[in-house]
Amino acid sequence: HTAAASNLGQMLNRICLRDGIELVNVVRSDAQAALLREIGARHVVSTTAPTFMPDLVAALAATGATLAFDAVGGGVLASQLLSGMERAQVA
């Protein structure tokens, strides 16, 4: 899910952790990634990292995610998520 460090994103992360659901958290900075890891997030990828797509595909493959929640909208991120899911399924 995108905007993972937002209040909504943190709430979703806590719910998924409680329910044992693997979640891929997409953020825009290392500070946001650190915040999520502090509350227990396991799979966190940053769109600003030079390795974003490989990191995303690895996290999607590890979780088996085939569903995305894009809280940002617009731009190329939704396309990147779908492309990453496709790559993760064939890897």
Side-chain angles (χ1 to χ4, degrees):
H1 71 109
T2 63
S6 69
N7 287 334
L8 176 62
Q10 291 179 53
M11 182 178 15
L12 180 59
N13 190 61
R14 286 185 181 102
I15 290 168
C16 287
L17 283 169
R18 182 193 68 210
D19 292 346
I21 298 169
E22 296 266 4
L23 183 65
V24 177
N25 297 275
V26 180
V27 297
R28 292 181 289 169
S29 72
D30 291 337
Q32 291 174 333
L35 170 75
L36 287 173
R37 288 190 178 102
E38 285 176 17
I39 63 170
R42 187 169 160 208
H43 304 283
V44 184
V45 297
S46 175
T47 59
T48 58
T51 57
F52 170 63
M53 279 307 292
D55 294 345
L56 177 63
V57 171
L60 292 167
T63 62
T66 57
L67 224 135
F69 174 65
D70 182 11
V72 176
V76 299
L77 189 53
S79 176
Q80 290 172 314
L81 293 174
L82 293 172
S83 175
M85 284 182 208
E86 182 178 21
R87 289 184 202 173
Q89 292 298 312
V90 297

